[in-house]
Amino acid sequence: MEQNIILNINDHDYLVKVEPDEVLVDVLRFKVGLTGTKKGCGTGDCGACTVILDGRIVDSCLILAVSVEGKKIITIEGLEKKGKLHPIQQAFLDHGAVQCGYCTPGLILATKALLDVNPHPAEGEIRIGISGNLCRCTGYTKIIEAVKAAGELLDRGAQ
């Protein structure tokens, strides 16, 4: 039986009608229209569906939409402001840390969550911070370079 819930996504409230067993990734993509969050494995193994929920990264394929009412959700679409890419997004582009792009939104959100708590992570900390996100196209060298560069851009006040 469907029910109405209000989801706060990227600082906007959305009234959506959901089934009790509907997962957040499907609501984001098909009911709210935010398709930057990708649906990958459906089992929480690939990180393509990563969002930030109350400051922590989660796999939105494992989260029931009804369970996040009243919480703050950030998707990849929430990082860009007034037509300008977030410094993390820019760093990923500048360092060639994107190829097919399917994993990129999840990796960028994992990077944001990491840099929010540790603005200058060492390589090992970066590897741990992005470890829930699989990239099938690249080695992770360029991604790690992009994370380091994003931290420096944020230090310089880029927003």
Side-chain angles (χ1 to χ4, degrees):
M1 172 190 274
E2 285 188 321
Q3 65 187 70
N4 288 321
I5 61 172
I6 297 173
L7 296 178
N8 183 277
I9 307 166
N10 304 326
D11 293 323
H12 294 92
D13 287 336
Y14 294 86
L15 176 64
V16 290
K17 192 174 278 196
V18 298
E19 295 288 342
D21 63 347
E22 205 163 0
V23 291
L24 182 58
V25 65
D26 289 336
V27 171
L28 292 170
R29 291 183 59 78
F30 304 117
K31 294 196 174 174
V32 180
L34 297 174
T35 57
T37 303
K38 305 302 182 203
K39 190 167 185 177
C41 66
T43 58
D45 293 321
C46 73
C49 67
T50 298
V51 298
I52 299 175
L53 180 66
D54 283 345
R56 296 182 52 227
I57 57 171
V58 298
D59 294 316
S60 63
C61 71
L62 299 178
I63 305 288
L64 293 176
V66 295
S67 72
V68 298
E69 187 171 26
K71 297 182 180 185
K72 183 176 178 161
I73 302 161
I74 300 173
T75 69
I76 192 68
E77 292 91 347
L79 295 188
E80 172 267 333
K81 299 291 185 218
K82 298 180 182 175
K84 185 173 177 170
L85 293 177
H86 188 280
I88 296 170
Q89 293 169 306
Q90 191 62 56
F92 268 66
L93 287 174
D94 292 347
H95 289 271
V98 298
Q99 282 194 7
C100 83
Y102 203 81
C103 68
T104 305
L107 279 163
I108 287 172
L109 289 171
T111 297
K112 180 175 182 348
L114 171 63
L115 295 178
D116 283 349
V117 297
N118 184 357
H120 302 285
E123 182 174 329
E125 294 168 314
I126 294 170
R127 288 184 180 277
I128 291 168
I130 64 171
S131 65
N133 300 80
L134 300 178
C135 176
R136 291 168 176 87
C137 296
T138 70
Y140 290 85
T141 302
K142 291 182 178 193
I143 294 168
I144 291 166
E145 290 171 3
V147 174
K148 288 178 182 178
E152 293 186 23
L153 282 172
L154 290 168
D155 269 354
R156 291 194 300 251
Q159 289 293 7

